[in-house]
Amino acid sequence: MDNYDCICNSDCQTAYRNGICTRILNNRSEMLLTTFLARASDGLLLCENYFENNLAVTDSRRKILSLLKGGQIRDEAPEVKVLEINNVHHLCYKVVEGVIYLVLSDSKYPVKLANAYLDDVQSAFTEELKTAFGAMDYRNKIETIEKPYFFIKFERVLKRKKAEFQDTGSKTNIERLKNDLTNVHNIMSQNIDLLLDREKNLNTMLGKAASLKENSKNYKDKTREVAFNLWLKRYLTILVVILVLLVFVYLKFFL
């Protein structure tokens, strides 16, 4: 267990656990939980700050990984979007320059604050990418990464920034809420299960379409085969007679 002086406000002297103030841990209804950074093109995880192992968070994490693997959120989306998970969690995410930034939070955690958190994470990770790959072509370099959690060391930054945003009642975060111009009423929230089911249904439809196409091809091939057999059966006698006559003529006049 790591212990630090609490930074949530100047009067708080409680300790951290897993980068989170233990005072805040007692108020479990408004918390940032898990942060993910992933490659937009295929959902490869680049870094993750996993909060804790309980059934609700684990189930939400499983759905998020399925979402990333399925590619439903890979399109560029610089404005924050929100997905509801199991009626207890929110997934706020944005897609910027080939990287998906996601944070899982309690459903009561302010979306504006989650958006400000993702903005901070995005800025810090962009600097990390520039340091690792150079300022000009870091996006192309991301596509060459083969192993997951390539930026696992960045987890320390995620841990620190999550601690800064954890207490929604701190003076700093209240100011962040005031200064954030994001209009939460314009943010479309949808259920992650509907999104996953939509992808599943789409894959099912694509599978059925491929199956119908294959069946149609097989039917056409079978039809050609039957037509040829009928034609052969109809004209076989004539062909045999012609063949016999040709052989007779050849033997009689050319040998």
Side-chain angles (χ1 to χ4, degrees):
M1 179 185 298
D2 297 329
N3 290 327
Y4 306 89
D5 291 334
C6 184
I7 62 172
C8 63
N9 63 57
S10 58
D11 298 324
C12 181
Q13 299 298 320
T14 54
Y16 278 77
R17 187 172 82 234
N18 295 326
I20 301 173
C21 172
T22 52
R23 179 176 65 83
I24 301 171
L25 281 169
N26 293 326
N27 181 13
R28 297 298 300 276
S29 62
E30 297 184 7
M31 291 185 63
L32 291 174
L33 298 172
T34 301
T35 307
F36 307 83
L37 304 183
R39 185 165 60 194
S41 60
D42 58 3
L44 179 75
L45 281 178
L46 302 174
C47 187
E48 178 183 1
N49 173 244
Y50 189 42
F51 168 59
E52 63 179 16
N53 187 16
N54 67 45
L55 291 178
V57 175
T58 299
D59 184 59
S60 294
R61 181 179 181 273
R62 176 184 59 79
K63 291 181 178 181
I64 293 169
L65 295 180
S66 296
L67 197 69
L68 290 172
K69 185 177 180 180
Q72 293 98 320
I73 57 174
R74 66 180 55 174
D75 295 334
E76 195 79 4
E79 300 297 327
V80 67
K81 297 181 181 298
V82 182
L83 295 176
E84 298 176 356
I85 309 180
N86 300 335
N87 297 319
V88 294
H89 294 146
H90 276 163
L91 176 67
C92 297
Y93 73 92
K94 59 200 323 180
V95 186
V96 182
E97 294 186 336
V99 178
I100 310 174
Y101 301 87
L102 313 95
V103 61
L104 178 70
S105 69
D106 292 314
S107 59
K108 293 183 179 180
Y109 189 89
V111 172
K112 280 190 174 184
L113 204 53
N115 179 55
Y117 169 72
L118 289 178
D119 282 344
D120 262 29
V121 170
Q122 177 197 334
S123 297
F125 191 61
T126 299
E127 292 304 313
E128 180 77 10
L129 290 172
K130 290 179 180 178
T131 301
F133 298 135
M136 299 301 295
D137 62 346
Y138 64 86
R139 179 167 184 174
N140 292 330
K141 293 291 186 179
I142 292 174
E143 298 302 322
T144 65
I145 295 174
E146 297 181 356
K147 295 182 180 180
Y149 298 101
F150 187 85
F151 289 96
I152 189 61
K153 291 182 179 180
F154 189 73
E155 194 267 343
R156 290 176 293 183
V157 178
L158 295 179
K159 183 178 179 180
R160 184 178 70 251
K161 288 193 172 296
K162 189 168 71 172
E164 295 173 5
F165 281 82
Q166 202 61 261
D167 185 1
T168 58
S170 71
K171 292 181 180 179
T172 301
N173 286 330
I174 290 175
E175 285 300 314
R176 284 178 172 134
L177 286 171
K178 290 180 180 179
N179 295 332
D180 193 324
L181 299 179
T182 304
N183 187 349
V184 294
H185 298 293
N186 291 335
I187 297 175
M188 295 297 293
S189 176
Q190 56 182 317
N191 190 283
I192 192 171
D193 290 315
L194 296 178
L195 196 59
L196 290 172
D197 288 343
R198 185 186 309 163
E199 180 68 14
K200 181 179 179 181
N201 292 336
L202 179 60
N203 289 335
T204 300
M205 291 177 62
L206 290 174
K208 289 182 178 179
S211 179
L212 287 172
K213 185 177 180 180
E214 183 66 22
N215 290 339
S216 176
K217 180 178 179 300
N218 292 337
Y219 177 77
K220 289 180 179 179
D221 292 342
K222 189 68 175 177
T223 300
R224 293 193 190 97
E225 182 182 348
V226 171
F228 176 75
N229 289 336
L230 288 174
W231 180 88
L232 189 62
K233 184 177 181 180
R234 182 176 181 181
Y235 295 103
L236 182 60
T237 303
I238 297 174
L239 291 174
V240 170
V241 171
I242 293 174
L243 181 60
V244 170
L245 288 175
L246 289 173
V247 171
F248 175 77
V249 171
Y250 177 78
L251 294 175
K252 184 174 181 62
F253 296 100
F254 295 98
L255 290 180

